[in-house]
Amino acid sequence: MFRYFPDNKVKCSPTSHSALWHIPALVEGDTETLLIHCFCMTVTKMSWRPTYRSSKFRNVYGKVANREHCFDGIPITKNVHDNHFCAVNAKFLAIVTESAGGGSFIVIPVSQAGRIEPHNPRVCGHHGNVLDIKWNPFFENIIASCSEDSSVRIWEIPEGGLRRNMTEAMMELYGHSRRVGIIEWHPTSSGILFSAGYDYKILIWNLEIGEPVKMIDCHSDVILCMSFNTDGSLLATSCKDKKLRVIEPRSGRVLQHANCKNHRVNRVVFLGNMKRLLTTGVSRWNTRQIALWDQEDLSMSMVEEEIDGLSGLLFPFYDADTHMLYLAGKGDGNIRYYEITTEKPYLQYLMEFRSPAPQKGLGVMPKHGLDVAACEVFRFYKLVTLKGLVEPISMIVPRRSETYQEDIYPMTSGTEPALSASEWLSGVNRDPVLMSLKEGYQKPNQLVFKAPVKDKKSIVVNGIDLLENMPPRTENELLRMFFRQQEELRRLKEELTTKDVTIRQLELELHNLRNVSPAVNNV
């Protein structure tokens, strides 16, 4: 903005600064020179403050795999449960499929991309819809699944994939009284599994003995999400009761909790060793937003940022090696990514990957399964239900050099467990065993996952028999339970009738004794 003053001076007041710079008056008609002069002075004044933050990940871009490297012809489940329905590791890709008469999921070797046969073998031992699947981080042939039939099952996939339908699980874990919606493997222990059911309880399973060893019962509604910190000593949960909790899992004690009234939390994730939590949810105006929290003080969020006004659930994915956060909405076609810093403004927006096809869910490849030569730092497996398609999406850092990039591939969590189940339950905490990606993934795990032999007919946790009120899993079990209950009711009625007769006889005898006593006294 330019203004002429009576003292034959011209003053320029850029909108970005409150100061006014005095410029000698120019002859009339020399407006172009005046504009150039003001622009140069403005640039000189602002040149010390950069317009963006320098980052090695500023130009990360998403690359969709070619059609021949996608997985086509998969009947992806149409279940509306808020989960990914997909799990992937360096060997296998598992996807929950649509099926009748029970739940099933398909397991495909990652190297066998292309069109999948309609009669490809499946894992189909559940009696209800499969709601979540997770690969064991230390045994790449072991996968856990949970279902509407209230069970958690552990499966061992043979090398090379399935050759026939698998119906017999390695372990069947029963303890929840309602359907099980979420399962999570412990990040450092080889035999600890967490499951959250619609009975508002979290069970901790010791797979070395095949039984639950702890029940966390501090939630008053359905648990929506679970997330561990780096060493697995803390558990963060989001719940339908609008509370965010940080729990010490071995004792079940709630260390911190937040009443999220303005920010209704849906998903939560620990941000590595930064002692921060990030949540995705909905604001009071029903817009999608993310919030950053201090894990030691959940009284108020550090940052809240609105994303957009869409209604799909936002899934957060955090890469602790690059400190990058990826946000993918259910039903969206785009993936936003940010860089997390320890100083303000904490969240630095980088870029956005866009695609016209909406995503049902996303699987994430572990770090040791990435293509280091292509500078790939993250890889999604996107479920496109309408096409029956699974698309790999690689997040790549553009680099000209073909040598190993140590700055974007630091030491990362490997496939060797740091603790056994018994060690973790005894109170020991250890950070993950790290590995380098420089030489590639060449060190297979020599440990063997063994299923325990179970002969107990009851499971008692916190003084409660979890199998006492187990729901039936099949129609035959339902009929057997019905006839058993009818027989028990008939027996109880007979016992009650017998006791009534006995009580009447005793009352009559007591009455007779009372009548005889006065007659004896009179004599």
Side-chain angles (χ1 to χ4, degrees), residues 8 59-60 102 125 151 161 207 314 326 384 456 463 481:
N8 205 20
N59 296 315
V60 169
S151 72
L207 301 185
L314 273 179
Y326 301 87
V384 184
K456 293 188 177 181
M481 180 177 287

Side-chain angles (χ1 to χ4, degrees), residues 156-172:
E156 183 175 13
I157 308 300
E159 289 291 336
L162 299 175
R163 295 173 180 84
R164 61 182 65 88
N165 285 347
M166 180 178 285
T167 57
E168 295 296 325
M170 192 179 186
M171 277 189 276
E172 296 183 10

Side-chain angles (χ1 to χ4, degrees), residues 453-468:
V453 179
K454 297 178 63 176
D455 56 356
K456 293 188 177 181
K457 297 182 179 180
S458 63
I459 299 176
V460 179
V461 179
N462 294 3
I464 301 174
D465 189 353
L466 298 179
L467 297 183
E468 184 179 359

Side-chain angles (χ1 to χ4, degrees), residues 284-467:
R284 65 171 70 181
W285 298 281
N286 287 330
T287 58
R288 297 195 296 189
Q289 67 175 186
I290 57 177
L292 191 66
W293 307 79
D294 184 350
Q295 74 179 37
E296 297 178 353
D297 182 13
L298 299 182
S299 59
M300 184 178 295
S301 60
M302 300 170 61
V303 175
E304 289 184 2
E305 182 173 331
E306 293 194 3
I307 303 300
D308 53 34
L310 300 180
S311 59
L313 181 69
L314 273 179
F315 292 107
F317 302 90
Y318 181 67
D319 183 2
D321 297 335
T322 61
H323 304 295
M324 287 182 64
L325 171 73
Y326 301 87
L327 295 179
K330 188 175 183 179
D332 298 356
N334 59 346
I335 301 174
R336 300 174 177 88
Y337 37 103
Y338 301 75
E339 189 172 7
I340 307 294
T341 60
T342 55
E343 300 176 353
K344 289 184 178 181
Y346 304 118
L347 291 169
Q348 181 70 33
Y349 176 77
L350 295 175
M351 211 177 290
E352 180 178 352
F353 166 80
R354 296 191 178 186
S355 170
Q359 54 223 8
K360 171 79 172 180
L362 292 166
V364 175
M365 174 66 76
K367 273 301 178 84
H368 60 265
L370 300 180
D371 186 359
V372 177
C375 295
E376 184 184 28
V377 293
F378 217 74
R379 189 192 301 168
F380 293 100
Y381 284 78
K382 174 181 174 179
L383 305 187
V384 184
T385 308
L386 298 178
K387 300 179 181 180
L389 184 69
V390 179
E391 289 182 336
I393 302 173
S394 299
M395 312 306 294
I396 297 175
V397 179
R399 294 283 176 92
R400 293 183 178 180
S401 175
E402 296 181 356
T403 59
Y404 180 73
Q405 308 293 313
E406 294 187 1
D407 58 330
I408 62 175
Y409 294 115
M411 297 287 287
T412 187
S413 298
T415 58
E416 183 181 347
L419 294 166
S420 65
S422 55
E423 286 177 328
W424 182 80
L425 291 170
S426 65
V428 180
N429 293 321
R430 286 188 195 142
D431 289 331
V433 178
L434 303 181
M435 63 177 289
S436 173
L437 302 179
K438 186 172 184 179
E439 304 300 329
Y441 179 60
Q442 298 177 349
K443 185 181 178 182
N445 194 349
Q446 300 298 327
L447 299 177
V448 178
F449 191 89
K450 294 183 179 180
V453 179
K454 297 178 63 176
D455 56 356
K456 293 188 177 181
K457 297 182 179 180
S458 63
I459 299 176
V460 179
V461 179
N462 294 3
I464 301 174
D465 189 353
L466 298 179
L467 297 183

Side-chain angles (χ1 to χ4, degrees), residues 452-516:
V453 179
K454 297 178 63 176
D455 56 356
K456 293 188 177 181
K457 297 182 179 180
S458 63
I459 299 176
V460 179
V461 179
N462 294 3
I464 301 174
D465 189 353
L466 298 179
L467 297 183
E468 184 179 359
N469 298 315
M470 280 297 301
R473 300 185 296 276
T474 63
E475 185 176 355
N476 290 334
E477 287 187 10
L478 178 63
L479 289 174
R480 285 198 298 270
M481 180 177 287
F482 172 76
F483 289 124
R484 189 165 59 249
Q485 289 178 348
Q486 292 295 317
E487 180 65 24
E488 187 176 357
L489 286 174
R490 186 189 61 78
R491 182 182 59 79
L492 290 174
K493 286 180 179 179
E494 290 181 354
E495 187 177 346
L496 185 60
T497 303
T498 304
K499 289 184 177 180
D500 285 342
V501 173
T502 305
I503 290 173
R504 290 195 189 98
Q505 290 177 350
L506 292 174
E507 287 178 348
L508 183 60
E509 291 178 4
L510 182 62
H511 181 70
N512 292 336
L513 287 174
R514 287 176 178 173
N515 290 337
V516 172

